[in-house]
Amino acid sequence: MTAGNDLVVLVMSDPTPPDPAEVDRWLRERLDGWPDHEAAVVGVVAGELVRNAWRHGAAPYLLELRLDREQDVLVVSALDRPARRSRPWRLRAGLLLVDALAVRWGVESRADRTRVWAELRFD
């Protein structure tokens, strides 16, 4: 992400699982010029959020990267249409990784969509 490009979105309309290689390629293009370790952290968090969206939601899936220059964080979000859930949210291995890498993270559930987001800060 470069100056003047504070929001980028990847839309995945196919109901099949998102291709991790495609998501990684998209991320690398958007994070061109970022330090490798920072891009790797973004990749881990984005990958976990996209897998979570596919596992618990329905297409289309959106992956958003947004630079919040006021708070000095990168917000990574995965959005999906909610599927019927019979089980409550549980903190599993993927979200434990997100929890460890993010400044903070959360889930916003509405009737028409679910958004799981994580704020990343790099010093």
Side-chain angles (χ1 to χ4, degrees):
M1 299 178 66
T2 58
N5 194 8
D6 291 347
L7 174 67
V8 291
V9 179
L10 172 63
V11 178
M12 297 162 275
S13 301
D14 196 339
T16 60
D19 179 4
E22 177 186 328
V23 174
D24 287 342
R25 192 170 30 259
W26 182 84
L27 284 167
R28 277 194 312 275
E29 290 172 3
R30 299 318 171 277
L31 299 173
D32 186 42
W34 283 51
D36 289 341
H37 66 283
E38 291 179 5
V41 168
V42 175
V44 169
V45 170
E48 292 301 333
L49 296 184
V50 167
R51 276 189 289 284
N52 191 62
W54 177 78
R55 189 175 296 121
H56 298 288
Y61 309 103
L62 279 70
L63 174 59
E64 293 181 350
L65 303 178
R66 182 177 54 85
L67 277 175
D68 182 334
R69 294 180 190 278
E70 246 181 61
Q71 301 296 320
D72 196 28
V73 294
L74 175 67
V75 182
V76 181
S77 302
L79 294 88
D80 61 69
R81 286 187 340 191
R84 290 198 173 131
R85 287 195 180 98
S86 58
R87 294 174 281 164
W89 277 89
R90 291 189 332 190
L91 198 59
R92 300 181 84 163
L95 289 178
L96 286 172
L97 277 172
V98 171
D99 186 59
L101 295 171
V103 175
R104 64 187 190 122
W105 68 278
V107 178
E108 300 168 359
S109 293
R110 296 173 26 179
D112 62 335
R113 70 168 172 82
T114 299
R115 176 179 179 253
V116 182
W117 55 270
E119 292 181 355
L120 304 175
R121 179 170 286 125
F122 303 104
D123 297 321

Coordinates of all heavy atoms in Angstrom, one line a residue, residues 9-31 43 46-47 50-51 61-63 65:
V9 N -9.2 -3.7 -1.6 CA -10.2 -4.7 -1.3 C -10.0 -5.8 -2.4 O -9.9 -5.6 -3.6 CB -11.6 -4.2 -1.4 CG1 -12.6 -5.3 -1.1 CG2 -11.8 -3.1 -0.4
L10 N -10.0 -7.1 -1.9 CA -10.0 -8.2 -2.8 C -11.4 -8.9 -2.6 O -11.8 -9.2 -1.5 CB -8.9 -9.2 -2.4 CG -8.9 -10.6 -3.0 CD1 -8.7 -10.5 -4.6 CD2 -7.9 -11.5 -2.4
V11 N -12.1 -9.1 -3.7 CA -13.4 -9.7 -3.7 C -13.3 -11.1 -4.2 O -12.8 -11.3 -5.3 CB -14.5 -8.9 -4.5 CG1 -15.8 -9.6 -4.5 CG2 -14.6 -7.4 -4.0
M12 N -13.8 -12.0 -3.4 CA -13.8 -13.4 -3.8 C -15.2 -13.9 -3.9 O -15.9 -14.1 -2.8 CB -13.0 -14.3 -2.8 CG -11.5 -13.8 -2.8 SD -10.6 -14.4 -1.3 CE -11.1 -13.0 -0.1
S13 N -15.8 -14.1 -5.1 CA -17.2 -14.4 -5.2 C -17.5 -15.9 -5.3 O -18.6 -16.3 -5.1 CB -17.7 -13.8 -6.6 OG -17.5 -12.4 -6.5
D14 N -16.5 -16.7 -5.5 CA -16.6 -18.1 -5.7 C -16.9 -18.7 -4.3 O -16.2 -18.4 -3.3 CB -15.4 -18.7 -6.2 CG -15.5 -20.1 -6.8 OD1 -16.5 -20.8 -6.4 OD2 -14.7 -20.5 -7.6
P15 N -17.9 -19.6 -4.2 CA -18.2 -20.2 -2.9 C -17.2 -21.3 -2.5 O -17.3 -21.7 -1.3 CB -19.6 -20.8 -3.1 CG -19.7 -21.1 -4.5 CD -18.9 -20.0 -5.2
T16 N -16.3 -21.7 -3.4 CA -15.3 -22.7 -3.0 C -14.3 -22.0 -2.1 O -14.2 -20.7 -2.1 CB -14.6 -23.3 -4.2 OG1 -14.0 -22.2 -5.0 CG2 -15.6 -24.0 -5.1
P17 N -13.4 -22.7 -1.4 CA -12.4 -22.1 -0.5 C -11.5 -21.2 -1.3 O -11.1 -21.5 -2.4 CB -11.7 -23.3 0.0 CG -12.5 -24.5 -0.2 CD -13.4 -24.2 -1.3
P18 N -11.2 -20.0 -0.7 CA -10.3 -19.1 -1.4 C -8.9 -19.7 -1.6 O -8.5 -20.4 -0.7 CB -10.2 -17.9 -0.5 CG -11.5 -18.0 0.3 CD -11.8 -19.4 0.5
D19 N -8.3 -19.5 -2.7 CA -7.0 -20.1 -3.0 C -5.9 -19.3 -2.2 O -5.7 -18.1 -2.5 CB -6.7 -20.0 -4.5 CG -5.4 -20.5 -4.9 OD1 -4.6 -21.1 -4.0 OD2 -5.1 -20.5 -6.1
P20 N -5.3 -20.0 -1.2 CA -4.3 -19.2 -0.5 C -3.2 -18.6 -1.3 O -2.7 -17.5 -1.0 CB -3.7 -20.3 0.5 CG -4.7 -21.4 0.5 CD -5.4 -21.3 -0.8
A21 N -2.8 -19.3 -2.4 CA -1.7 -18.7 -3.3 C -2.2 -17.4 -3.9 O -1.5 -16.5 -4.1 CB -1.3 -19.7 -4.3
E22 N -3.5 -17.4 -4.3 CA -4.1 -16.2 -4.9 C -4.1 -15.0 -3.9 O -3.7 -13.9 -4.2 CB -5.5 -16.4 -5.4 CG -6.2 -15.2 -6.0 CD -7.6 -15.5 -6.4 OE1 -7.9 -16.6 -6.8 OE2 -8.4 -14.6 -6.3
V23 N -4.5 -15.3 -2.7 CA -4.6 -14.3 -1.6 C -3.1 -13.8 -1.3 O -2.9 -12.6 -1.2 CB -5.2 -14.9 -0.4 CG1 -5.2 -13.9 0.8 CG2 -6.7 -15.2 -0.7
D24 N -2.2 -14.7 -1.2 CA -0.8 -14.3 -1.0 C -0.2 -13.5 -2.1 O 0.4 -12.5 -1.8 CB 0.1 -15.6 -0.8 CG -0.1 -16.3 0.5 OD1 -0.7 -15.7 1.4 OD2 0.3 -17.5 0.5
R25 N -0.5 -13.8 -3.3 CA -0.1 -13.0 -4.5 C -0.6 -11.6 -4.4 O 0.0 -10.6 -4.6 CB -0.4 -13.8 -5.8 CG 0.2 -13.3 -7.0 CD -0.1 -14.2 -8.2 NE -1.3 -14.9 -8.2 CZ -1.4 -16.2 -7.9 NH1 -0.4 -16.9 -7.6 NH2 -2.6 -16.9 -8.0
W26 N -1.9 -11.5 -4.1 CA -2.6 -10.2 -4.0 C -2.0 -9.4 -2.9 O -1.7 -8.2 -3.1 CB -4.1 -10.5 -3.8 CG -4.9 -9.2 -3.7 CD1 -5.4 -8.5 -4.8 CD2 -5.3 -8.5 -2.6 NE1 -6.1 -7.4 -4.4 CE2 -6.1 -7.4 -3.0 CE3 -5.1 -8.7 -1.2 CZ2 -6.6 -6.5 -2.1 CZ3 -5.6 -7.8 -0.3 CH2 -6.4 -6.7 -0.8
L27 N -1.8 -10.0 -1.8 CA -1.1 -9.3 -0.7 C 0.3 -8.8 -1.0 O 0.6 -7.7 -0.7 CB -1.1 -10.2 0.6 CG -2.4 -10.4 1.3 CD1 -2.2 -11.6 2.3 CD2 -2.8 -9.1 2.0
R28 N 1.1 -9.7 -1.6 CA 2.4 -9.3 -2.0 C 2.4 -8.1 -2.9 O 3.2 -7.1 -2.8 CB 3.2 -10.4 -2.7 CG 3.8 -11.4 -1.7 CD 4.8 -12.3 -2.3 NE 4.3 -12.9 -3.6 CZ 3.6 -14.1 -3.6 NH1 3.3 -14.7 -2.5 NH2 3.3 -14.6 -4.8
E29 N 1.5 -8.0 -3.9 CA 1.4 -6.9 -4.8 C 1.0 -5.6 -4.1 O 1.5 -4.6 -4.4 CB 0.4 -7.2 -5.9 CG 0.8 -8.2 -6.9 CD -0.3 -8.6 -7.9 OE1 -1.4 -8.1 -7.8 OE2 0.0 -9.6 -8.7
R30 N 0.1 -5.7 -3.1 CA -0.4 -4.6 -2.4 C 0.7 -4.1 -1.4 O 0.7 -2.9 -1.0 CB -1.7 -4.8 -1.6 CG -2.9 -5.2 -2.5 CD -3.0 -4.4 -3.7 NE -3.9 -4.7 -4.7 CZ -3.8 -5.6 -5.7 NH1 -2.8 -6.4 -5.7 NH2 -4.7 -5.8 -6.6
L31 N 1.5 -5.0 -0.9 CA 2.5 -4.6 0.2 C 3.9 -4.5 -0.4 O 4.9 -4.6 0.4 CB 2.4 -5.7 1.3 CG 1.1 -5.8 2.0 CD1 1.1 -7.0 3.0 CD2 0.7 -4.5 2.7
G43 N 0.3 -11.3 6.1 CA -0.1 -12.5 5.4 C -0.7 -13.5 6.3 O -1.7 -14.1 6.0
A46 N -4.2 -12.0 7.6 CA -5.2 -12.0 6.5 C -5.6 -13.5 6.1 O -6.8 -13.8 5.9 CB -4.6 -11.4 5.2
G47 N -4.6 -14.4 6.1 CA -4.9 -15.8 5.7 C -5.9 -16.4 6.8 O -6.8 -17.1 6.4
V50 N -9.4 -14.8 6.3 CA -10.1 -15.3 5.1 C -10.6 -16.8 5.3 O -11.7 -17.1 5.0 CB -9.2 -15.2 3.9 CG1 -9.8 -16.0 2.7 CG2 -9.0 -13.7 3.5
R51 N -9.7 -17.6 5.9 CA -10.1 -19.0 6.2 C -11.3 -19.0 7.2 O -12.2 -19.8 7.0 CB -8.9 -19.8 6.8 CG -8.0 -20.4 5.7 CD -7.0 -21.3 6.3 NE -6.0 -20.7 7.1 CZ -5.0 -20.0 6.6 NH1 -4.9 -19.8 5.3 NH2 -4.1 -19.4 7.4
Y61 N -16.7 -13.2 -0.3 CA -15.8 -12.9 0.8 C -15.0 -11.7 0.3 O -14.6 -11.6 -0.8 CB -14.9 -14.1 1.0 CG -15.6 -15.4 1.2 CD1 -15.6 -16.3 0.1 CD2 -16.2 -15.7 2.4 CE1 -16.3 -17.5 0.3 CE2 -16.9 -16.9 2.5 CZ -17.0 -17.8 1.5 OH -17.7 -18.9 1.6
L62 N -14.8 -10.8 1.3 CA -14.0 -9.6 1.0 C -12.8 -9.5 1.9 O -13.0 -9.8 3.1 CB -14.8 -8.3 1.1 CG -15.7 -7.9 0.0 CD1 -16.9 -8.8 -0.1 CD2 -16.2 -6.5 0.2
L63 N -11.6 -9.3 1.4 CA -10.5 -9.0 2.2 C -10.1 -7.6 2.1 O -9.9 -7.1 0.9 CB -9.3 -9.9 1.8 CG -8.0 -9.7 2.5 CD1 -8.1 -9.8 4.0 CD2 -6.9 -10.6 1.9
L65 N -7.7 -4.2 3.3 CA -6.5 -3.7 4.0 C -6.7 -2.2 4.0 O -7.0 -1.5 2.9 CB -5.2 -4.0 3.2 CG -4.8 -5.4 3.0 CD1 -3.5 -5.5 2.2 CD2 -4.7 -6.2 4.3

